[in-house]
């Protein structure tokens, strides 16, 4: 195990000496979401002086950058006389640079300041019939990348090489959390997006996770399956009923009609029963750009049969995270019952101490069980619904 910790300023200039006195390190890399990490070390003056607001932490593992991003909580200091702990200890919490991207919303007119946005109630930023990767790159470029207003640009952020992935999509967005808009564009093709530090640049890129179900396999027999739980429940909806058009109660002049689109999950209806859910897309006048249909397809992805897989695996010499599979890749888990389930790599976790070395585990499955609780999804759905209402 070779792990090195370095601190930089927001322009990626390295500050001070490497931090070599740490006692515990943990880093969670997450699929299409910011990382979460913490490091604990003695509160020596030379370390405390480095752990300041506006700084970044770079975790280098085996001579490659594992995670790099801003300090979210630079100092959590503790000292206790009874433990005779000398300087005391300080824990710093950090994330990756995708968290900076997550701090933005989508401007309908990204080339105008917020106070100069058009006042039309339903004016949106429309990205029509273009490649999903291009949509995501455009959103980031216009709102916080090199193409954004100077005041909104993230230091050293550039666009990574084009991967050429994703199908043709349409997206309309207005003052929506930037990563939510990116996830919407990525959902149909299950694309991934990430930031990575390369030299003195932060590169934002899009990629297509791989199907590694034949080569990345986890089971008790292979010795790389630490724990697993699996549940199967009925779908929340098998028929998504999308209501668009202008609201007849508010439209002063035509067109003031409704538009209706239905998308059914035939297999779920056959295997279970019909369950209908209404999706209100008031303000989207028609389905000519496929926006109503896309809303239904995305909803079916969340509302299908509730197969929840929560798995923790461990690295072995034959199968290692980052080398043999990555975030978003689809892998195979063989349950002790013999049932084989394919699901995506949601989190890759690195835990290390100088005495015990490192352990790399992987969380497979994007169910609520792999986060904290069902409340997480409830809150996220509520935020999305409120965001749509507020943006009208």
């Amino acid at each position: 195990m070779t792990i090195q910790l370095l601190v930089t300023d927001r322009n990626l200039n390295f500050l001070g000496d490497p931090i070599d006195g740490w006692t515990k390190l943990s880093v969670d890399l997450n699929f299409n979401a910011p990382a979460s990490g913490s490091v604990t070390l003695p509160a020596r003056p030379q370390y405390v002086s480095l752990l300041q607001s506006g700084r970044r932490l770079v975790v280098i593992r085996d001579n490659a950058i594992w995670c790099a991003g801003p300090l979210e909580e630079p100092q959590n200091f503790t000292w206790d006389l009874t433990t005779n702990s000398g300087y005391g200890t300080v824990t710093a919490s950090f994330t990756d640079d995708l968290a900076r991207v997550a701090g933005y919303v989508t401007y309908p007119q990204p080339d105008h300041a917020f106070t100069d946005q058009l006042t039309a109630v339903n004016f949106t930023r429309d990205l029509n019939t273009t490649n999903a990767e291009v949509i995501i790159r455009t959103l980031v470029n216009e709102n916080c990348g090199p193409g954004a207003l100077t005041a909104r640009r993230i230091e050293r952020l550039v666009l990574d090489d084009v991967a050429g992935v994703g199908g043709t999509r349409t997206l309309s967005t207005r003052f929506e959390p930037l990563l939510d808009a990116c996830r919407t564009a990525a959902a149909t093709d299950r694309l991934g997006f990430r930031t990575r530090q390369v030299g003195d640049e932060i590169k934002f890129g899009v990629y297509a996770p791989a199907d590694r179900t034949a080569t990345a396999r986890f089971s008790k027999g292979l010795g790389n399956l630490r724990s697993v739980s699996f549940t199967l429940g009925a779908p929340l909806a098998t028929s998504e009923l999308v209501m668009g058009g202008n609201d007849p109660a508010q439209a002063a002049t035509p067109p003031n009609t409704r538009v209706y689109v239905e998308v059914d999950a035939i297999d779920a209806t056959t295997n279970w029963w019909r369950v209908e859910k209404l999706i209100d897309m008031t303000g989207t006048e028609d389905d000519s750009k496929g926006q109503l249909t896309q809303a239904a397809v995305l909803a079916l992805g969340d509302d299908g049969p509730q197969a929840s897989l929560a798995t923790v695996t461990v690295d072995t010499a034959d199968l290692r995270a980052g080398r043999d599979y990555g975030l978003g890749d689809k892998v195979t888990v063989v349950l002790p019952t013999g049932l084989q389930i394919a699901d995506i790599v949601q989190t890759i976790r690195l835990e290390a101490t100088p005495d015990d070395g490192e352990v790399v585990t992987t969380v497979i499955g994007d169910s609520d069980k792999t986060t904290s609780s069902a409340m997480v999804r409830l809150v996220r759905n509520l935020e999305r619904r409120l965001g749509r209402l507020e943006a009208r």
Side-chain angles (χ1 to χ4, degrees):
M1 173 190 71
T2 302
I3 293 179
Q4 189 177 38
L5 304 181
L6 300 169
V7 176
T8 79
D9 62 18
R10 63 180 64 234
N11 286 298
L12 278 62
N13 298 308
F14 289 103
L15 306 173
D17 296 323
I19 296 176
D20 57 7
W22 57 274
T23 57
K24 183 179 180 181
L25 173 72
S26 63
V27 186
D28 283 3
L29 303 180
N30 300 309
F31 180 57
N32 287 358
S36 175
S38 67
V39 59
T40 301
L41 59 155
R44 297 172 184 166
Q46 64 267 35
Y47 298 152
V48 174
S49 65
L50 287 174
L51 301 175
Q52 301 293 329
S53 60
R55 303 281 175 83
R56 299 169 66 256
L57 189 72
V58 180
V59 179
I60 299 176
R61 176 180 180 245
D62 295 334
N63 299 316
I65 294 179
W66 181 260
C67 180
L71 291 166
E72 290 187 300
E73 189 176 83
Q75 297 181 25
N76 185 343
F77 172 79
T78 60
W79 180 85
D80 187 347
L81 178 63
T82 60
T83 62
N84 192 26
S85 55
Y87 290 108
T89 61
V90 62
T91 298
S93 299
F94 60 93
T95 180
D96 60 10
D97 291 304
L98 194 61
R100 294 284 307 274
V101 179
Y104 287 76
V105 297
T106 58
Y107 280 15
Q109 290 179 290
D111 57 344
H112 287 60
F114 177 74
T115 53
D116 293 331
Q117 298 292 306
L118 282 179
T119 57
V121 173
N122 290 321
F123 185 77
T124 61
R125 175 68 172 104
D126 293 325
L127 296 163
N128 299 327
T129 57
T130 189
N131 175 272
E133 178 187 8
V134 173
I135 289 177
I136 298 170
R137 289 168 61 91
T138 299
L139 287 170
V140 172
N141 181 51
E142 290 181 342
N143 287 283
C144 63
L149 296 173
T150 301
R152 303 186 75 207
R153 293 176 191 166
I154 295 175
E155 300 87 351
R156 313 304 302 169
L157 180 66
V158 299
L159 296 180
D160 210 336
D161 296 336
V162 175
V165 296
T168 300
R169 300 285 173 262
T170 296
L171 182 76
S172 294
T173 182
R174 171 185 170 84
F175 300 128
E176 179 183 8
L178 179 52
L179 284 196
D180 282 359
C182 290
R183 292 188 190 104
T184 298
T188 302
D189 301 302
R190 294 199 71 93
L191 299 181
F193 49 83
R194 61 193 169 197
T195 56
R196 59 193 187 102
Q197 180 176 334
V198 180
D200 62 352
E201 294 180 325
I202 300 168
K203 294 191 173 184
F204 175 89
V206 182
Y207 66 99
D211 185 343
R212 304 191 187 279
T213 51
T215 58
R217 299 174 61 83
F218 300 89
S219 71
K220 179 181 178 182
L222 292 173
N224 55 13
L225 185 60
R226 177 169 288 186
S227 67
V228 60
S229 62
F230 175 71
T231 60
L232 181 63
L236 301 179
T238 62
S239 299
E240 304 290 352
L241 312 176
V242 186
M243 180 174 63
N246 289 323
D247 189 345
Q250 297 181 5
T253 59
N256 59 357
T257 57
R258 288 292 192 185
V259 177
Y260 301 99
V261 171
E262 178 179 353
V263 176
D264 298 322
I266 303 301
D267 291 343
T269 303
T270 302
N271 295 331
W272 297 89
W273 50 80
R274 182 178 177 89
V275 183
E276 300 175 342
K277 187 179 83 173
L278 180 66
I279 301 174
D280 186 356
M281 292 286 289
T282 298
T284 302
E285 295 183 2
D286 55 46
D287 198 34
S288 59
K289 299 175 183 177
Q291 293 168 275
L292 302 181
T293 298
Q294 178 176 267
V297 172
L298 292 175
L300 281 178
D302 289 334
D303 295 337
Q306 301 299 289
S308 300
L309 174 67
T311 302
V312 177
T313 71
V314 63
D315 262 9
T316 64
D318 296 328
L319 191 61
R320 292 176 60 86
R323 184 191 70 186
D324 302 309
Y325 63 90
L327 290 171
D329 288 351
K330 183 176 285 188
V331 299
T332 298
V333 177
V334 183
L335 304 185
T337 61
L339 178 66
Q340 298 189 23
I341 302 171
D343 213 327
I344 68 168
V345 176
Q346 186 71 18
T347 298
I348 298 175
R349 177 175 299 147
L350 168 66
E351 297 177 296
T353 65
D355 294 334
D356 299 329
E358 68 175 35
V359 175
V360 177
T361 58
T362 301
V363 178
I364 299 169
D366 56 359
S367 71
D368 294 327
K369 291 183 179 180
T370 63
T371 53
S372 57
S373 69
M375 185 59 69
V376 173
R377 176 168 290 183
L378 175 62
V379 170
R380 288 175 179 168
N381 287 343
L382 179 60
E383 288 175 343
R384 283 197 291 267
R385 290 197 297 270
L386 290 174
R388 292 194 187 107
L389 290 173
E390 292 169 355
R392 287 177 187 167

